[in-house]
């Protein structure tokens, strides 16, 4: 693989302290660009961000955007050269909600297209749960316009739901325009429907976009994230995923989402991820 991108969430804490220095370090590791997380723009104007990233050989390929931040990002992202605005996940617990979500994605797709971008949806394990015998993700894909809505397959979340990501991509060729590269260990996981968290109960986030946690909670989160292990050392068949994604009628965009630094350092971990992908 000669072209791949990286999601900013894995090193968002470092970015808020040294945006330019961290981006330059990531560029030197061989990443071709970024998927923005939590509006981390480094204080740049859209054109300024595009120019800065261009000067170090990178670009904005996509951005995760919470629903409530849509209008703001419709104004900001086009100037960066961003191609995709990705919804990071919806709380769907019934067939009615699934069809409503598909309609919502189509409407967002029209808005994104009006400013030169495409709307997308990022899956989690719960999107592979069934409602009246049909997977949520099936309902979303089959009831959205391919011209308006793309899907970003997070392969680790698929495997954690006991879904063969390669087989699922083959089921809907051309719909998975983006692929989140993520490895996962095998572990027992009880799947449940994602439930919306009321605003008043949502935890406060720090400036990097992560929830503020006390030391004990932070340790537990780190332990949980460690299921995101070294590429090639978990249960994901990355070669099969790549073959399925590459066989689509669209050229897939591969984006590393690094939840856990298995080397103990996010940058040496990202370097290893880049090396793995270049050899794939």
């Amino acid at each position: 693989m000669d072209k791949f991108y990286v999601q900013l969430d894995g090193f968002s804490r470092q970015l808020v302290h040294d945006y330019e220095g961290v981006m330059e370090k990531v560029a030197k590791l061989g990443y071709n660009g970024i998927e923005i997380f939590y509006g981390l723009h480094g204080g740049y104007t859209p054109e300024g961000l595009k120019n800065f990233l261009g000067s170090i050989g990178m670009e904005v390929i996509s951005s995760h955007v919470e629903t409530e931040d849509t209008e703001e990002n419709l104004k900001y992202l086009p100037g960066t050269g961003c191609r995709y605005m990705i919804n990071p996940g919806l709380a769907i617990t019934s067939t009615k909600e699934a069809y409503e979500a598909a309609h919502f994605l189509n409407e967002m797709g029209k808005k994104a297209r009006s400013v030169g971008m495409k709307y997308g949806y990022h899956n989690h394990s719960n999107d592979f749960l069934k409602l009246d015998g049909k997977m949520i993700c099936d309902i979303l894909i089959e009831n959205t316009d391919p011209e308006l809505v793309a899907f970003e397959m997070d392969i680790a979340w698929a495997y954690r739901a006991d879904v063969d990501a390669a087989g699922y991509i083959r089921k809907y060729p051309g719909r998975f325009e983006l692929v989140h590269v993520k490895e996962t260990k095998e572990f027992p996981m009880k799947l449940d429907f994602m439930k919306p968290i009321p605003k008043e109960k949502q935890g406060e986030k720090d400036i990097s976009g992560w929830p503020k946690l006390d030391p004990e909670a932070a340790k537990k989160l780190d332990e949980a994230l460690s299921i995101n292990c070294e590429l090639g050392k978990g249960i994901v068949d990355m070669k099969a995923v790549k073959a399925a994604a590459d066989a689509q009628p669209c050229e897939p965009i591969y984006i590393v989402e690094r939840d856990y630094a298995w080397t103990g350092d996010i940058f040496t971990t990202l370097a290893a991820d880049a090396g793995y992908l270049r050899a794939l």
Side-chain angles (χ1 to χ4, degrees), residues 220-239:
K220 288 183 179 179
L221 176 61
D222 201 45
E223 290 172 352
L225 291 178
S226 68
I227 57 174
N228 174 211
C229 59
E230 180 179 356
L231 291 179
K233 297 296 179 66
I235 63 174
V236 172
D237 188 342
M238 191 61 209
K239 289 184 179 179

Side-chain angles (χ1 to χ4, degrees), residues 71-83:
E71 296 303 322
E72 174 187 345
N73 279 276
L74 285 169
K75 296 174 183 176
Y76 182 89
L77 290 174
T80 69
C82 181
R83 289 166 53 187

Side-chain angles (χ1 to χ4, degrees), residues 66 202 207 239 247:
E66 299 287 349
Q202 292 179 12
I207 57 174
K239 289 184 179 179

Side-chain angles (χ1 to χ4, degrees), residues 54-67:
S55 72
I56 57 174
M58 293 209 298
E59 64 178 332
V60 176
I61 193 68
S62 56
S63 177
H64 275 205
V65 175
E66 299 287 349
T67 300

Side-chain angles (χ1 to χ4, degrees), residues 242-253:
K242 183 177 184 300
D246 288 350
Q248 296 182 105
C250 61
E251 183 177 354
I253 295 164

Side-chain angles (χ1 to χ4, degrees), residues 79 100 106 178 183 190:
E100 289 174 347
N106 280 325
L178 307 97
E183 183 62 272
K190 182 181 182 298

